[in-house]
Amino acid sequence: MGPLLSTHPVLRRHFGAVAALTVSLICSLLVALAFVLDLDGAELALLAFAYPLLVSVPAAAVMLRNSRIRETFELHENGLAQVRDGVRQAWTWDRVRAIDLTPRGADLVCAVRFDDGELVRFSGMDTGDSLALHDALAEHCLDALTQRAVPERRGPAAGAMAAITLAGAGGAGLALWLFSRTGELDGARHFGLAMIAAAGCATAIVTGIPLIAVLRATRPD
C-alpha cells in the first residue's frame, strides 16, 4: 500500500434521524389522541397518521444505527483503505473496477467498486477533505470512471412507488366523489368513506414525496 498520505474521517450528521424521530413522535401522539378525544367519531380520522409511521420509524432506526458507525478512509500512495467499526480493508489502485460520481444538491457522492465485489461510498459533506480522495481516484483509476459501480435500479423502484401513489390518490378521489354524491346515508357509511379518503391521501403523500425525489435525482453519467 505504500506510505500513508492522509486520513479522512467520516462524520455522520444526526439531522435526518432527528427529523424522522420528530415525525414519528408527532404521528404517534396524533394516533393516541384518536383513542382519547370524543368528537362524535371524527377523531378516528387521526388514525390515518399511522401511515407515516410505516416510513418514519424504520428510517429513524436505520439512520440512528448508521450514525453510530465509526468510519475512516486512509489514502496511501498505492491504494485506499477503509476502517469501519475497527475492521480494516485495503485495496491497491489496480483493484478498482468502477467509480460512480453522483451529484446530490451541493454535495457529490462517490461509490467505488473493487475487484472483490466490495463497495464503499463517501460524500463531500460527511468525509473530511474528500477532494483528495477524488483526485487520487481520478489520477490512478481513470478507466474505472467509465464503468458503473452501482446497478441502475431506480426504474423498478420508481414504478412501484408511482403505482402506490396513483392507487392511493385514486382511492381517495373515488371516496371523496362517492361522499359528495351520497344523500341521506347513515353516519357509519359517511365515516367509512371519509376514512378511505384519509388513508388514500396519506398513502399518496408517503410514497409521492420519495417518488418526486427519485425522479428529480440527477443520473450519473
Side-chain angles (χ1 to χ4, degrees):
M1 295 290 292
L4 176 64
L5 301 180
S6 59
T7 58
H8 306 266
V10 178
L11 303 175
R12 292 183 172 84
R13 292 166 173 79
H14 295 77
F15 176 77
V18 171
L21 277 177
T22 302
V23 171
S24 300
L25 291 174
I26 293 175
C27 291
S28 299
L29 177 61
L30 293 173
V31 171
L33 288 176
F35 298 96
V36 177
L37 298 178
D38 184 6
L39 301 175
D40 295 329
E43 72 278 358
L44 294 181
L46 293 174
L47 293 175
F49 285 95
Y51 282 86
L53 288 174
L54 299 177
V55 175
S56 62
V57 171
V62 171
M63 286 187 285
L64 284 174
R65 183 197 64 186
N66 290 341
S67 67
R68 295 173 60 89
I69 297 175
R70 295 174 178 260
E71 184 178 9
T72 301
F73 289 98
E74 298 176 354
L75 180 60
H76 292 260
E77 182 178 338
N78 297 323
L80 181 69
Q82 178 196 46
V83 182
R84 184 180 175 91
D85 270 354
V87 178
R88 186 177 185 275
Q89 292 179 288
W91 304 271
T92 54
W93 297 125
D94 61 331
R95 298 184 61 187
V96 176
R97 291 293 176 265
I99 301 173
D100 287 346
L101 297 175
T102 307
R104 185 178 295 171
D107 195 12
L108 184 64
V109 180
C110 180
V112 184
R113 177 82 65 180
F114 299 95
D115 59 356
D116 57 0
E118 287 290 332
L119 177 70
V120 300
R121 288 186 174 93
F122 59 89
S123 69
M125 295 186 66
D126 294 337
T127 307
D129 193 18
S130 63
L131 185 59
L133 298 176
H134 292 150
D135 291 343
L137 288 168
E139 179 183 356
H140 299 283
C141 314
L142 187 60
D143 292 341
L145 289 169
T146 62
Q147 305 297 322
R148 291 299 305 269
V150 182
E152 181 60 61
R153 296 176 180 174
R154 280 184 290 184
M161 286 189 292
I164 297 173
T165 302
L166 291 175
L174 178 61
L176 290 173
W177 181 78
L178 291 174
F179 187 89
S180 65
R181 299 277 295 181
T182 54
E184 293 296 328
L185 295 178
D186 58 279
R189 181 79 172 271
H190 279 164
F191 177 74
L193 290 174
M195 286 298 297
I196 293 174
C201 286
T203 301
I205 293 172
V206 168
T207 57
I209 293 175
L211 174 62
I212 293 173
V214 169
L215 294 178
R216 287 178 59 87
T218 304
R219 295 175 181 271
D221 296 332

